[in-house]
Amino acid sequence: MKLALVVVSALIALVFVLRPRDDGGGYDPYFRALNATLKKNGPARPTLVLDLDRLDRNIEVLRQSIRAPKHFRVVDKSLPSLPLLRYIFEHARTNRVMSFHEPFLAQVAVELPDPQILLGKPMPVHAAEQFYADVKGGFDPDRQLQWLLDTPERLEEYRQLATRLGRRMRINVEIDVGLHRGGVQDTATLARMLAIIAADPTHLEFAGFMGYDPHVAKVPSWAASRASLIRDVRTTYRGYVDYVHAHYPQLWNDRVTLNGAGSPTYRLYEDDTLLDDLSVGSALVKPTDFDLDTLTPHVPALFIATPVLKAGASARLPGLDWLSRLLDWWNPNLARTFFIYGGYWMAHPEAPAGLHNNGLFGRSSNQEMLNGSARVELGVDDYVFLRPTQSEAVMLQFGDILVVRGAEIVDRWPVFKQ
């Protein structure tokens, strides 16, 4: 009898130990103020909110890290809005852009003040041809644009296009510094590309290198140390630079760009003396995929805000009322149900605290179900705030960005045309 009581007591104790804790709560002061503003003046639909105070803080962190003689190059795909890019141009004191999409490239070339553009990926030659057909105004591609190329074959296609168009294209060579996502992987391939450039100075100019290295910040420490990874990046990069100096010194000039890094790694280059051009985009708004130790000083500056359409009691699963009651007893975070306007975004609930997607009910892009405990302070027409997992795809889904400062709406910024 005693043994049975002990076993039962142990099982009851285990149930309470394993039972999910109540993690619900209300808005913190920041989101409470944003909620009040949006309920009064918001669009009453899903919208992106960009906080200029937080963006300013992130820009200052960046400026403290990327100092002369290094230059900061803003990544347009991660911040796809011309007014946003203009703001960063002014406050980060740069006119350098890394572009990834031909329609964006054309808009940046025409609309931004004297942009110096480096492509962030090798584009099909027909995309380059389309760009030359699209670009208008005073933008001079022969001076202001570097095409990123990765193979001798693609370079030859561009050479032929430059010949047809009567252009002199600046060619930046993508090099593999450890990410293994393409790019030149040996000096033999580089030699073939340099030979093509050297043989046709009328139509081609060597513009430098680009080596992207996000793996340095993301490879787990048990696989490789960060110190060894960044050392390998620098050694590889230096090897290609030295090869040009040794074998094609006539191609080197004072306009050569040595681009590298990215949001995850740019702060690791503060003491580096080789690279002179560092690209950063997402770190300036810090979506959740960039919650990295290398970006600890940065703060989230971009949120999805969407109204609550329906608020009720515990989650009821269609045809499974018995399971719903069991889950309600087991998990206090299912005590309340909220259906929001829209959903199924690449994002995680941020405020108020303790909201979760319901894995059993399923996802919805029309009226997403969120659950929370009885402590969640949220009613109909209140706003739920979510943090995007990334910026580049998410920012193009909501129309104009709602720009706030001090929790007050100060502007609405359009995103890129696609």
Side-chain angles (χ1 to χ4, degrees), residues 8 12 19 26 31 45 53 83 121 150 174 177 189 202 217 221 223 254 256 282 316 327 333 366 382 392 405 409:
V8 170
I12 292 173
R19 190 182 186 195
F31 287 108
R45 56 174 171 76
D53 295 318
K121 62 187 177 187
D150 58 337
E174 181 182 14
V177 294
T189 303
T202 301
S221 58
D254 60 6
V256 164
S282 297
R316 297 179 59 190
L327 291 173
N333 297 299
N366 174 39
D382 280 328
E392 55 200 61
R405 189 182 290 282
I409 299 170

Side-chain angles (χ1 to χ4, degrees), residues 217-218 226 263-264 282-283 285-296 298-301 348 350 387-389:
K218 296 184 178 182
R226 182 171 295 169
S263 285
S282 297
V285 294
K286 199 178 184 181
T288 62
D289 284 354
F290 294 81
D291 285 342
L292 306 168
D293 65 302
T294 52
L295 295 177
T296 300
H298 286 260
V299 295
H348 302 298
E350 179 76 4
R387 275 185 69 196
T389 59

Side-chain angles (χ1 to χ4, degrees), residues 56-358:
D56 288 347
R57 174 175 167 177
N58 292 336
I59 290 174
E60 183 58 28
V61 171
L62 181 144
R63 290 189 59 210
Q64 291 299 317
S65 182
I66 303 179
R67 299 184 297 272
K70 294 187 182 72
H71 300 279
F72 158 51
R73 187 175 297 274
V74 59
V75 177
D76 68 1
K77 71 177 175 62
S78 303
L79 304 161
S81 163
L82 285 169
L84 174 55
L85 292 175
R86 290 192 195 100
Y87 186 94
I88 294 169
F89 263 35
E90 177 183 355
H91 290 79
R93 301 174 188 173
T94 189
N95 68 338
R96 300 188 179 208
V97 181
M98 179 171 279
S99 191
F100 288 79
H101 185 41
E102 191 276 325
F104 296 176
L105 171 62
Q107 293 169 71
V108 165
V110 171
E111 299 292 341
L112 292 183
D114 191 32
Q116 299 295 318
I117 305 171
L118 168 62
L119 269 292
K121 62 187 177 187
M123 304 288 283
V125 70
H126 292 300
E129 189 170 15
Q130 184 64 50
F131 167 76
Y132 285 109
D134 289 345
V135 70
K136 301 292 188 293
F139 182 80
D140 179 6
D142 299 2
R143 177 181 65 87
Q144 296 173 259
L145 179 62
Q146 300 178 47
W147 295 104
L148 186 74
L149 299 181
D150 58 337
T151 66
E153 293 77 17
R154 199 186 296 272
L155 174 57
E156 176 58 26
E157 292 178 342
Y158 272 69
R159 190 194 68 78
Q160 293 177 20
L161 176 62
T163 301
R164 292 200 306 273
L165 297 178
R167 292 283 187 181
R168 189 168 192 254
M169 293 184 177
R170 304 188 67 209
I171 306 301
N172 192 296
V173 178
E174 181 182 14
I175 55 176
D176 181 4
V177 294
L179 181 60
H180 305 324
R181 194 180 65 179
V184 169
Q185 297 182 343
D186 53 67
T187 54
T189 303
L190 176 62
R192 291 173 59 198
M193 297 183 72
L194 296 177
I196 293 172
I197 296 171
D200 192 357
T202 301
H203 298 108
L204 300 176
E205 175 189 344
F206 175 69
F209 291 117
M210 189 280 277
Y212 185 42
D213 64 352
H215 62 286
V216 171
K218 296 184 178 182
V219 170
S221 58
W222 58 262
S225 72
R226 182 171 295 169
S228 67
L229 290 170
I230 196 71
R231 183 172 59 249
D232 290 346
V233 168
R234 289 169 174 163
T235 299
T236 301
Y237 209 125
R238 171 64 71 181
Y240 289 121
V241 171
D242 290 346
Y243 186 88
V244 178
H245 282 301
H247 298 276
Y248 288 88
Q250 74 276 19
L251 295 181
W252 203 267
N253 59 73
D254 60 6
R255 296 205 303 160
V256 164
T257 297
L258 299 180
N259 174 269
S263 285
T265 59
Y266 85 91
R267 297 182 67 244
L268 303 177
Y269 286 86
E270 290 182 357
D271 299 322
D272 178 75
T273 58
L274 176 62
L275 303 191
D276 59 17
D277 190 84
L278 304 181
S279 301
V280 182
S282 297
L284 294 180
V285 294
K286 199 178 184 181
T288 62
D289 284 354
F290 294 81
D291 285 342
L292 306 168
D293 65 302
T294 52
L295 295 177
T296 300
H298 286 260
V299 295
L302 185 72
F303 304 97
I304 299 170
T306 190
V308 173
L309 300 179
K310 305 164 186 174
S314 59
R316 297 179 59 190
L317 302 175
L320 296 171
D321 287 346
W322 64 271
L323 181 58
S324 300
R325 289 190 291 271
L326 179 61
L327 291 173
D328 290 348
W329 171 83
W330 171 253
N331 188 351
N333 297 299
L334 295 174
R336 298 194 69 197
T337 298
F338 309 96
F339 287 94
I340 60 174
Y341 193 148
Y344 218 155
W345 299 295
M346 298 170 64
H348 302 298
E350 179 76 4
L355 291 175
H356 307 275
N357 294 109
N358 190 299

Side-chain angles (χ1 to χ4, degrees), residues 8-21 329-330 332:
V8 170
S9 299
L11 289 174
I12 292 173
L14 183 62
V15 166
F16 282 96
V17 168
L18 296 177
R19 190 182 186 195
R21 65 180 180 85
W329 171 83
W330 171 253

